[in-house]
Amino acid sequence: MPSSARCYVEISTGRIASNFEAVRDAVGPDVDVMGVVKADAYGHGMLEVSRILISRGARWLAVSTVAEGRQLRDAGIETDILVMAGLLPDDFRTAVDLGLTPVAHSTSDILRFEEAAVAAERKARFHLKFDTGMGRLGTRETPVEVAGVLKTLHVTECDGLLTHFASASDFSTPQTDMQIARFDGIGREMAALGIAPRYLHLSSTATVAYARPNAWRTIVRPGHAIYGYVSPAKGIAPESALRVSPALAWKVKVVAVKDVPANTLVGYGGIACVKRPTRLAILGAGYADGIPHRLSNRGKVIAGGRFAPILGAVSMDLTTIDVTESPRLKPGDDVTLLGREGRVSINAQEMARWAGTISYSVLCGIKPRVERVYVE
Ligand SMILES: *Cc1c(COP(=O)(O)O)cnc(C)c1O
């Protein structure tokens, strides 16, 4: 049954589960799949998605911040939780207390974590990230420097080595192969220094979909695929090996419908002017709900089973569309921003293209005031 909310997303728990299974099938039984649920599970609801993944056997979840890890622990979630996006100085003790597994990005991170664990009188584990060419987080210290510090630890232990790819879906550059080679070189040097952590991981969605099994190792870290997306590849790429489909549909109600004559200006700035007598529908959501402002006068939605163009500026709480072709639409009816009506559909990649952004940003941009509804 559709929600009575003014603007809502409908999230299919079955789709989340089957997308997760698709990743598992792709990498096979010897590789673990860590569900990336950062940023409120890309807008899908972190707790709900985490529970679905755990019910399907997920042993690892990944978040960006200690605050996100705390939300999971507060909800009673006991799986291993990797905190990927860096810890601030005050976060280290919290991570120890909550039993989170931080990613360390330098030997000073490692020493701070050790200090926090000593103070808490607890044992704790962390993973260590190397910058193999992404040029963002990850240490650029040498294995010798890192190993020197690891050997001084008493209560903490390096349980995993990881890196992150900059251009994983781009087959026109050797960047990914170079990053894999660097990671392997580091792994060999560490092993020669007597350090061989249990987990090795490099892959997010792209290197699973455009299968590079030499980047899978012991765990993969998919986010996008779990929500039903694989970014298009560049260059000469293999077919995506993942059969996933979007788990989220985004709906908004019509607040008002009215007919205007030819030459009427529509909305802020009068940036649209209708050429013919037009039926307008005013939708109950705007950029404050996450509809990209860049869709002004260029995006479309699905109304009454057919595409309807956005007219004029997307405003904070309202968006106007042309429903001349869907004359039966009335206040209270649902219109589809993302999802399918019959044979017509819009996905986050298409909306992103119209808005000049990426699907990740569209999904993460759906604001908290948009009601989340979970369906089979
Ligand atoms: C977000 C993130 C992922 C997941 O990436 P997807 O492209 O959504 O699969 C994996 N690893 C790290 C370090 C990330 O930040």
Side-chain angles (χ1 to χ4, degrees), residues 36 38 42 84 129 136 164 204-205 221-224 360:
V36 176
K38 64 188 179 190
Y42 297 35
M84 300 190 297
K129 185 176 192 175
R136 199 181 57 182
H164 191 51
S204 51
T205 292
R221 308 185 302 261
H224 219 29
Y360 293 75

mmCIF file of all heavy atoms in Angstrom, residues 36 38 42 84 129 136 164 204-205 221-224 360, ligand 1:
data_model
loop_
_atom_site.group_PDB
_atom_site.id
_atom_site.type_symbol
_atom_site.label_atom_id
_atom_site.label_comp_id
_atom_site.label_asym_id
_atom_site.label_seq_id
_atom_site.Cartn_x
_atom_site.Cartn_y
_atom_site.Cartn_z
ATOM 1 N N VAL A 36 28.760 -2.073 3.112
ATOM 2 C CA VAL A 36 29.069 -0.670 3.401
ATOM 3 C C VAL A 36 27.748 0.078 3.638
ATOM 4 O O VAL A 36 26.926 0.194 2.729
ATOM 5 C CB VAL A 36 29.881 -0.040 2.262
ATOM 6 C CG1 VAL A 36 30.122 1.449 2.533
ATOM 7 C CG2 VAL A 36 31.225 -0.767 2.111
ATOM 8 N N LYS A 38 27.617 3.192 5.357
ATOM 9 C CA LYS A 38 27.885 4.599 5.699
ATOM 10 C C LYS A 38 26.800 5.505 5.125
ATOM 11 O O LYS A 38 26.066 5.102 4.224
ATOM 12 C CB LYS A 38 29.254 4.994 5.140
ATOM 13 C CG LYS A 38 29.332 4.963 3.610
ATOM 14 C CD LYS A 38 30.755 5.160 3.109
ATOM 15 C CE LYS A 38 30.806 5.090 1.597
ATOM 16 N NZ LYS A 38 32.204 5.049 1.111
ATOM 17 N N TYR A 42 23.576 4.973 2.200
ATOM 18 C CA TYR A 42 23.349 5.701 0.943
ATOM 19 C C TYR A 42 21.876 6.135 0.853
ATOM 20 O O TYR A 42 21.241 6.055 -0.196
ATOM 21 C CB TYR A 42 23.708 4.833 -0.271
ATOM 22 C CG TYR A 42 25.160 4.403 -0.399
ATOM 23 C CD1 TYR A 42 25.939 4.110 0.702
ATOM 24 C CD2 TYR A 42 25.752 4.266 -1.650
ATOM 25 C CE1 TYR A 42 27.263 3.699 0.574
ATOM 26 C CE2 TYR A 42 27.080 3.856 -1.793
ATOM 27 C CZ TYR A 42 27.819 3.571 -0.661
ATOM 28 O OH TYR A 42 29.123 3.154 -0.789
ATOM 29 N N MET A 84 35.857 3.700 8.371
ATOM 30 C CA MET A 84 36.772 3.865 7.243
ATOM 31 C C MET A 84 37.320 5.266 7.020
ATOM 32 O O MET A 84 38.368 5.420 6.405
ATOM 33 C CB MET A 84 36.059 3.430 5.949
ATOM 34 C CG MET A 84 35.593 1.990 5.952
ATOM 35 S SD MET A 84 35.018 1.452 4.312
ATOM 36 C CE MET A 84 33.620 2.537 4.054
ATOM 37 N N LYS A 129 45.446 1.247 6.456
ATOM 38 C CA LYS A 129 45.270 1.557 5.042
ATOM 39 C C LYS A 129 46.531 2.187 4.456
ATOM 40 O O LYS A 129 47.120 3.091 5.039
ATOM 41 C CB LYS A 129 44.109 2.528 4.877
ATOM 42 C CG LYS A 129 43.738 2.829 3.440
ATOM 43 C CD LYS A 129 42.512 3.719 3.449
ATOM 44 C CE LYS A 129 41.866 3.853 2.107
ATOM 45 N NZ LYS A 129 40.621 4.620 2.235
ATOM 46 N N ARG A 136 44.339 10.126 -1.197
ATOM 47 C CA ARG A 136 43.408 10.663 -0.205
ATOM 48 C C ARG A 136 43.859 10.090 1.134
ATOM 49 O O ARG A 136 45.001 10.303 1.509
ATOM 50 C CB ARG A 136 41.970 10.290 -0.611
ATOM 51 C CG ARG A 136 40.903 11.131 0.039
ATOM 52 C CD ARG A 136 39.494 10.710 -0.376
ATOM 53 N NE ARG A 136 39.216 9.308 -0.073
ATOM 54 C CZ ARG A 136 38.077 8.677 -0.364
ATOM 55 N NH1 ARG A 136 37.115 9.314 -0.999
ATOM 56 N NH2 ARG A 136 37.898 7.420 -0.030
ATOM 57 N N HIS A 164 42.317 1.618 -1.295
ATOM 58 C CA HIS A 164 41.088 2.003 -1.987
ATOM 59 C C HIS A 164 41.464 2.519 -3.365
ATOM 60 O O HIS A 164 42.449 3.237 -3.511
ATOM 61 C CB HIS A 164 40.368 3.083 -1.169
ATOM 62 C CG HIS A 164 38.971 3.390 -1.617
ATOM 63 N ND1 HIS A 164 38.018 2.407 -1.816
ATOM 64 C CD2 HIS A 164 38.363 4.560 -1.893
ATOM 65 C CE1 HIS A 164 36.874 2.983 -2.193
ATOM 66 N NE2 HIS A 164 37.062 4.284 -2.252
ATOM 67 N N SER A 204 35.792 -2.211 -3.824
ATOM 68 C CA SER A 204 34.405 -1.808 -3.605
ATOM 69 C C SER A 204 33.600 -2.358 -4.791
ATOM 70 O O SER A 204 34.016 -3.341 -5.420
ATOM 71 C CB SER A 204 34.313 -0.294 -3.463
ATOM 72 O OG SER A 204 34.962 0.344 -4.531
ATOM 73 N N THR A 205 32.451 -1.766 -5.106
ATOM 74 C CA THR A 205 31.568 -2.352 -6.119
ATOM 75 C C THR A 205 32.254 -2.590 -7.468
ATOM 76 O O THR A 205 32.119 -3.670 -8.050
ATOM 77 C CB THR A 205 30.342 -1.438 -6.332
ATOM 78 O OG1 THR A 205 29.554 -1.462 -5.143
ATOM 79 C CG2 THR A 205 29.496 -1.902 -7.518
ATOM 80 N N ARG A 221 34.351 -4.791 -0.237
ATOM 81 C CA ARG A 221 33.601 -3.758 0.490
ATOM 82 C C ARG A 221 32.593 -3.064 -0.424
ATOM 83 O O ARG A 221 32.763 -1.904 -0.766
ATOM 84 C CB ARG A 221 34.558 -2.677 1.017
ATOM 85 C CG ARG A 221 35.750 -3.137 1.825
ATOM 86 C CD ARG A 221 36.532 -1.931 2.368
ATOM 87 N NE ARG A 221 36.989 -1.042 1.319
ATOM 88 C CZ ARG A 221 38.223 -1.031 0.801
ATOM 89 N NH1 ARG A 221 39.141 -1.871 1.259
ATOM 90 N NH2 ARG A 221 38.532 -0.173 -0.153
ATOM 91 N N PRO A 222 31.539 -3.730 -0.848
ATOM 92 C CA PRO A 222 30.580 -3.091 -1.738
ATOM 93 C C PRO A 222 29.578 -2.210 -0.989
ATOM 94 O O PRO A 222 29.102 -2.573 0.086
ATOM 95 C CB PRO A 222 29.850 -4.279 -2.370
ATOM 96 C CG PRO A 222 29.864 -5.304 -1.281
ATOM 97 C CD PRO A 222 31.167 -5.129 -0.562
ATOM 98 N N GLY A 223 29.281 -1.063 -1.575
ATOM 99 C CA GLY A 223 28.175 -0.235 -1.114
ATOM 100 C C GLY A 223 27.151 -0.144 -2.236
ATOM 101 O O GLY A 223 26.078 -0.740 -2.191
ATOM 102 N N HIS A 224 27.529 0.581 -3.280
ATOM 103 C CA HIS A 224 26.638 0.868 -4.400
ATOM 104 C C HIS A 224 25.873 -0.371 -4.898
ATOM 105 O O HIS A 224 24.665 -0.302 -5.132
ATOM 106 C CB HIS A 224 27.492 1.441 -5.550
ATOM 107 C CG HIS A 224 26.842 2.563 -6.308
ATOM 108 N ND1 HIS A 224 25.929 3.426 -5.756
ATOM 109 C CD2 HIS A 224 26.977 2.959 -7.619
ATOM 110 C CE1 HIS A 224 25.532 4.306 -6.683
ATOM 111 N NE2 HIS A 224 26.154 4.035 -7.819
ATOM 112 N N TYR A 360 25.606 8.341 -6.595
ATOM 113 C CA TYR A 360 25.878 8.307 -5.149
ATOM 114 C C TYR A 360 25.334 9.577 -4.479
ATOM 115 O O TYR A 360 24.737 9.526 -3.408
ATOM 116 C CB TYR A 360 27.386 8.258 -4.879
ATOM 117 C CG TYR A 360 28.110 7.012 -5.306
ATOM 118 C CD1 TYR A 360 28.399 6.760 -6.639
ATOM 119 C CD2 TYR A 360 28.563 6.099 -4.361
ATOM 120 C CE1 TYR A 360 29.108 5.626 -7.023
ATOM 121 C CE2 TYR A 360 29.266 4.958 -4.735
ATOM 122 C CZ TYR A 360 29.534 4.734 -6.075
ATOM 123 O OH TYR A 360 30.228 3.613 -6.447
HETATM 124 C C1 LIG B 1 32.364 4.040 0.171
HETATM 125 C C2 LIG B 1 33.497 3.105 0.197
HETATM 126 C C3 LIG B 1 33.337 1.813 -0.317
HETATM 127 C C4 LIG B 1 32.109 1.365 -1.070
HETATM 128 O O1 LIG B 1 32.151 1.875 -2.392
HETATM 129 P P1 LIG B 1 31.039 1.537 -3.484
HETATM 130 O O2 LIG B 1 31.558 2.138 -4.729
HETATM 131 O O3 LIG B 1 29.781 2.187 -3.016
HETATM 132 O O4 LIG B 1 30.912 0.059 -3.547
HETATM 133 C C5 LIG B 1 34.395 0.939 -0.146
HETATM 134 N N1 LIG B 1 35.541 1.310 0.470
HETATM 135 C C6 LIG B 1 35.718 2.560 0.937
HETATM 136 C C7 LIG B 1 37.020 2.924 1.588
HETATM 137 C C8 LIG B 1 34.712 3.505 0.805
HETATM 138 O O5 LIG B 1 34.909 4.752 1.257
#
